[in-house]
Amino acid sequence: MAIASPSLLSLNSHISSASSLHRSPHRARPFSRRKSWLLVRARNKKNNSLSVIEAKISTDDVSEEDIVIVGAGIAGLATAVSLQRLGVRSLVLEQAESLRTGGTSLTLFKNGWRVLDAIGVGSDLRSQFLEIQGMVVKSDDGRELRSFTFKDEDESQEVRAVERKILLETLAIKLPSAAVQFSSGLARMERRENGKMLLELVDGTRLLAKIVIGCDGIRSPVAKWMGFSEPRYVGHCAFRGLGFYANGQPFEPRVNYVYGRGLRAGYVPVSPTKVYWFICFNSPSPGPKTTDPSVLKKQAKELVKNWPSELLNLIDLTPDETISKTPLVDRWLWPAISPPPSTGTTVLVGDAWHPMTPNLGQGACCALEDAVILARKLANAINSGPTSVEDAMKSYGIERWPRVFPLTVRANLVGSLLQWENPVVCSVRNNVVIPKLVRLGPILEHTNFECEPSRKRQTSEVPKQQ
């Protein structure tokens, strides 16, 4: 994809403190008052020739922003909170009418909790969710194959399943009320000659941004604009749900896995009344998209109809709004083949850059890591100089790639191994590999991640383009 060369954002320490980043989030955002000329090529239908028409258009309706974050999911909100704690304001664009709080939960290991602590929301979340003590692996006939206790393997480990809705709301409440702009789907992006990005929204609104951060998920329009391929379907789909026990859920605080042939399931307590569950099954194609809860429940139960009854009961107790079926996808970031995560002053974070399968429980954790690392690099460039914003983004990519690419590959391979269908191979897995060979400690080494608390600094503006 041909992209015009951007101009560099040069940063230095002599930046005015009267920055637009200091403006009140409740004030109306300023509009530029420039006029521009547009050369329009019109095709003559009779002779199929092109004529050039000079047309004058107004840019009075183009507002200017320093940093625009596309997407108010986990990655987008965590990036905005991280930047704010470092004294840098941003505007978050979300295509939905409100926070996308549907869905179930996600499991956060100690690396995720260290980021949440660093950006000041960890303590707000811990009190609402159970700490998971360990895990147990069973066969589809209910036989226990192996059990582990997390603290025995790693005293510093912390595992909790967190409701996605509450995580998003906890992050959003840390931002000024006008920091997230809803009903703002991105329709088009264009880099201007001065290096700024022109963003056109679905409703026709236009923004000029000095920095664009794409946090818009696995089908990211920003990633597509940057030349990334569509995520690849890995050969299996997952049903997910969040069971609700009005009188209290009966399970111990541990992850429960059940392995079958080409089929596996898991469930884990989230809170005193809620339990997250999933069923992962092989399928040659994603199949038709289905959202009818009654159909989804029937399909999920049919897959595990001969499995332990506690799983079937859990599906029955799942509210309709929490059940879903999704194809599992990922994107492998091959060195020297895949595009870098930044071009000019546009950069990707989380699933927009490195969608991965959930087999290691690291999708959300890695998105949180991305957010805090990128925010620090940008804040250092903006506030301290002389490093440019583009150099900061390149540094982010260089640091994060060795982390996310191996995890993406590893998650894919683990999923493929667990989805075996051959009965002989499954027997070896259940009777030899899991009971005698698997060690949890090495499996969890990827959750080691150091993250210092983010501290506020004096706010500076993103300098004007040269």
Side-chain angles (χ1 to χ4, degrees):
M1 177 175 191
I3 300 175
S5 300
S7 60
L8 293 176
L9 288 179
S10 300
L11 301 184
N12 56 61
S13 58
H14 305 290
I15 297 174
S16 169
S17 61
S19 166
S20 60
L21 293 172
H22 280 124
R23 63 173 175 263
S24 169
H26 303 287
R27 290 175 52 189
R29 299 189 180 273
F31 294 95
S32 61
R33 299 294 177 187
R34 296 188 300 276
K35 304 287 184 181
S36 64
W37 293 85
L38 174 67
L39 294 180
V40 180
R41 295 181 179 269
R43 184 174 296 277
N44 187 312
K45 294 183 178 180
K46 291 185 178 181
N47 56 20
N48 201 36
S49 63
L50 290 174
S51 60
V52 178
I53 302 172
E54 195 174 60
K56 191 174 184 180
I57 64 170
S58 171
T59 57
D60 287 355
D61 61 344
V62 179
S63 64
E64 295 197 30
E65 299 291 340
D66 292 313
I67 301 177
V68 172
I69 297 173
V70 182
I74 295 170
L77 294 177
T79 301
V81 172
S82 299
L83 286 168
Q84 179 178 263
R85 286 180 62 85
L86 296 171
V88 180
R89 294 187 185 276
S90 62
L91 173 66
V92 183
L93 303 179
E94 170 53 46
Q95 65 178 347
E97 296 179 357
S98 60
L99 286 179
R100 291 174 286 116
T101 55
T104 54
S105 73
L106 45 100
T107 302
L108 296 178
F109 290 82
K110 69 177 180 182
N111 52 326
W113 287 105
R114 285 177 176 174
V115 174
L116 294 174
D117 285 336
I119 62 177
V121 298
S123 59
D124 297 333
L125 292 164
R126 280 189 179 88
S127 61
Q128 302 179 66
F129 302 104
L130 301 175
E131 181 169 7
I132 307 305
Q133 304 299 322
M135 60 182 285
V136 60
V137 181
K138 298 179 180 180
S139 61
D140 54 9
D141 60 5
R143 178 168 55 98
E144 182 172 318
L145 305 177
R146 189 81 177 273
S147 64
F148 303 91
T149 301
F150 290 130
K151 297 293 186 183
D152 289 345
E153 305 293 334
D154 178 359
E155 291 185 0
S156 64
Q157 188 58 256
E158 180 178 8
V159 184
R160 299 172 196 265
V162 175
E163 285 188 66
R164 186 177 184 277
K165 174 181 184 292
I166 294 177
L167 175 57
L168 291 180
E169 291 173 346
T170 302
L171 291 169
I173 204 170
K174 297 294 183 180
L175 297 170
S177 60
V180 182
Q181 182 173 303
F182 296 102
S183 301
S184 300
L186 181 63
R188 189 175 68 89
M189 296 177 61
E190 175 188 325
R191 181 178 293 134
R192 289 301 180 85
E193 291 182 357
N194 61 4
K196 295 180 181 179
M197 292 299 302
L198 176 64
L199 307 179
E200 184 174 322
L201 307 185
V202 173
D203 64 2
T205 301
R206 294 186 295 168
L207 304 171
L208 272 178
K210 295 176 182 177
I211 295 173
V212 175
I213 305 176
C215 302
D216 44 346
I218 61 174
R219 306 294 178 188
S220 165
V222 179
K224 183 177 181 180
W225 178 84
M226 292 173 62
F228 281 88
S229 62
E230 286 290 317
R232 182 182 64 90
Y233 174 59
V234 300
H236 24 277
C237 299
F239 288 100
R240 295 182 175 95
L242 193 62
F244 176 69
Y245 293 77
N247 298 319
Q249 55 86 9
F251 301 106
E252 296 180 19
R254 62 183 185 179
V255 183
N256 297 270
Y257 288 117
V258 186
Y259 294 157
R261 291 172 51 188
L263 181 67
R264 58 192 161 107
Y267 52 96
V268 56
V270 175
S271 68
T273 58
K274 296 179 180 179
V275 178
Y276 165 70
W277 62 268
F278 75 87
I279 298 172
C280 190
F281 63 99
N282 291 348
S283 177
S285 68
K289 184 175 182 179
T290 306
T291 57
D292 185 330
S294 62
V295 173
L296 294 176
K297 282 187 179 182
K298 182 178 179 180
Q299 292 175 345
K301 291 178 66 175
E302 182 65 24
L303 287 171
V304 295
K305 61 184 178 181
N306 297 319
W307 288 26
S309 60
E310 58 190 23
L311 181 58
L312 296 171
N313 294 336
L314 182 52
I315 297 173
D316 285 333
L317 292 170
T318 299
D320 288 350
E321 65 272 15
T322 72
I323 190 168
S324 65
K325 173 192 171 186
T326 53
L328 302 186
V329 301
D330 63 16
R331 179 191 290 130
W332 290 21
L333 304 172
W334 294 107
I337 298 177
S338 300
S342 66
T343 177
T345 55
T346 300
V347 65
L348 299 175
V349 170
D351 285 346
W353 179 28
H354 50 75
M356 66 180 69
T357 56
N359 300 299
L360 299 179
Q362 285 298 299
C365 291
C366 281
L368 291 169
E369 292 179 14
D370 287 350
V372 73
I373 289 175
L374 177 63
R376 286 175 179 170
K377 289 183 181 293
L378 285 179
N380 287 337
I382 292 168
N383 289 306
S384 302
T387 304
S388 74
V389 167
E390 290 189 28
D391 288 339
M393 290 181 176
K394 290 177 182 177
S395 175
Y396 156 80
I398 291 171
E399 179 175 339
R400 292 300 294 159
W401 180 87
R403 171 73 167 162
V404 298
F405 179 49
L407 278 177
T408 303
V409 175
R410 184 176 176 185
N412 181 291
L413 295 178
V414 167
S416 298
L417 293 173
L418 294 178
Q419 292 297 132
W420 279 330
E421 295 185 9
N422 184 288
V424 175
V425 173
C426 290
S427 177
V428 172
R429 177 195 65 192
N430 290 355
N431 295 298
V432 179
V433 177
I434 293 175
K436 300 179 180 180
L437 301 180
V438 172
R439 293 181 56 218
L440 190 59
I443 293 176
L444 294 177
E445 285 182 356
H446 60 261
T447 65
N448 294 322
F449 178 75
E450 299 301 325
C451 188
E452 297 178 358
S454 299
R455 295 182 175 87
K456 293 183 179 180
R457 306 180 183 187
Q458 181 178 356
T459 304
S460 301
E461 75 172 353
V462 177
K464 296 180 179 180
Q465 304 283 348
Q466 300 297 318

